[in-house]
Amino acid sequence: MTHYGLIGYPLEHSRSKVYFTKKFAEEHLDADYQLYPLSQIEELEKLRKEIRLRGLNVTMPYKEAVIEYLDEVDEAAKEIGAVNVIRFADNGQAKGYNTDYIGFRDSLVPLLGERDRKALILGSGGAAKAVEYALRELAIEPTIVSRSKERGIRYDELTKDMVEGHSLIINATPLGMVPNSDKKPPFPYEWIPKAHLLYDLIYAPEETLFLQEGLKRGCRVKNGTDMLIGQAEAAWRIWNR
Ligand code: NAP
């Protein structure tokens, strides 16, 4: 049997186990997918010794911290600074990849129009960095909007011209995700014109308050479900190389 799994902490809200278990059953594969909640990333060493794994997914809060535990890191993941997939070679060597950017990019492309050339990314964490990388690949100019000024601009520095001039607005914060579905990023929604596209990386709930602000104004909207499926399928391709 081939073993796969997910590391992170806590893992109660993960959909990966359900996704891959269903996939293995449908494809009649002798494989299993388990959740490995690690209270500290150091526990990864022990897990590797105990179970001969083929692949792992990595989620919050270890996407960045896991890098120093790997033998090799793919170029895109290195540039993004975050790993969400690990592939173990037959000799046990671990290589890290980022498939969040692939899932995001491939789900965004079918929605893009000619005028979608500039984007505002809300948040500056690991997911925001993957989104930034994907947008650059698509020749879309990204600007990070953050609570602090370390990267990009602050929410209170946004002007009406800026909001109107960026037809893509992407929520890469956890604001609005269950159980905090009554929250949304502190963005000046009243300035968003009808033709804009609002993309939320969150997939639970399917329609966040952020997306509702777009729907109210007749904007195009997209939630994180297709990104989630895209990143999982890209991981599967990597594990089967
Ligand atoms: P994170 O590191 O915990 O947070 C991302 C950023 O959000 C932070 O760096 C912060 O940016 C901002 N933020 C956090 N709390 C905030 C608050 N209370 N008010 C305003 N801003 C806040 O999370 P992440 O790993 O990047 O993930 C972000 C979201 O994307 C999560 O909801 C995650 O579930 C989702 N995600 C979805 C997929 C998918 O496949 N659909 C894949 C990856 C991630 P500043 O400090 O700069 O403000």
Side-chain angles (χ1 to χ4, degrees), residues 15 199-204 206 223-230:
R15 292 212 181 156
Y199 191 124
D200 201 327
L201 267 53
I202 293 170
Y203 47 84
E206 284 180 17
N223 71 23
T225 305
D226 286 346
M227 173 177 174
L228 183 74
I229 295 168

Side-chain angles (χ1 to χ4, degrees), residues 60 63 100 123-128 146-148 155 172-175 177 186 201-203 224 227-228 231:
M60 290 188 285
K63 288 186 183 183
D100 282 338
S124 65
S146 164
R147 290 168 299 177
S148 72
Y155 290 90
T173 78
L175 295 172
M177 185 169 68
L201 267 53
I202 293 170
Y203 47 84
M227 173 177 174
L228 183 74
Q231 63 80 24

Side-chain angles (χ1 to χ4, degrees), residues 35-119:
L35 300 182
Y36 299 108
L38 307 181
S39 58
Q40 297 178 55
I41 186 62
E42 289 79 8
E43 294 167 21
L44 175 59
E45 300 286 5
K46 192 166 159 265
L47 178 67
R48 277 178 76 173
K49 281 185 195 136
E50 279 172 6
I51 304 166
R52 196 179 151 85
L53 294 153
R54 165 69 65 81
L56 281 176
N57 287 121
V58 184
T59 188
M60 290 188 285
Y62 300 134
K63 288 186 183 183
E64 293 166 25
V66 77
I67 290 178
E68 65 174 287
Y69 291 84
L70 304 173
D71 301 299
E72 209 185 331
V73 180
D74 161 79
E75 276 310 311
K78 213 180 279 175
E79 205 169 311
I80 292 165
V83 159
N84 71 302
V85 173
I86 304 171
R87 181 182 190 277
F88 296 95
D90 291 341
N91 64 3
Q93 292 265 305
K95 182 167 179 179
Y97 298 84
N98 189 297
T99 63
D100 282 338
Y101 91 90
I102 298 171
F104 172 75
R105 182 195 63 199
D106 294 354
S107 62
L108 177 67
V109 166
L111 310 174
L112 291 173
E114 270 184 25
R115 58 181 294 278
D116 296 322
R117 305 287 14 131
K118 285 181 166 192

